[in-house]
Amino acid sequence: MTLTSPQKRKSRWPVWARRGLMENIATVLIALGFLMLFQPFALSLYTYSFITMLAGTVMFIIVSKFPE
């Protein structure tokens, strides 16, 4: 028995489904919705900005439960 900290188990999740990458994608999605909200040119982008930000926020909440 060692007194050092136990070693981390390697995750069996695929690399693309781990938390770091998916949190970055969710953050980009939220930022995209924010930019769509504050641009003055296209009404259709303004219309879908709330849905885009909501999808990014929900994705971030779900992904934050994923393993590292």
Side-chain angles (χ1 to χ4, degrees), residues 6-65:
Q7 292 196 357
K8 286 179 132 181
R9 274 190 353 187
K10 187 156 180 144
S11 177
R12 288 180 290 188
W13 284 51
V15 174
W16 60 268
R18 293 193 188 143
R19 186 163 71 191
L21 175 65
M22 297 301 273
E23 276 183 349
N24 289 339
I25 292 172
T27 303
V28 167
L29 202 56
I30 294 168
L32 182 66
F34 184 79
L35 290 175
M36 289 166 63
L37 180 66
F38 285 101
Q39 58 81 33
F41 304 112
L43 187 61
S44 62
L45 291 178
Y46 178 79
T47 304
Y48 288 105
S49 65
F50 176 72
I51 296 168
T52 306
M53 283 192 291
L54 185 64
T57 304
V58 169
M59 182 179 172
F60 194 89
I61 291 169
I62 293 170
V63 165
S64 67
K65 310 285 190 271

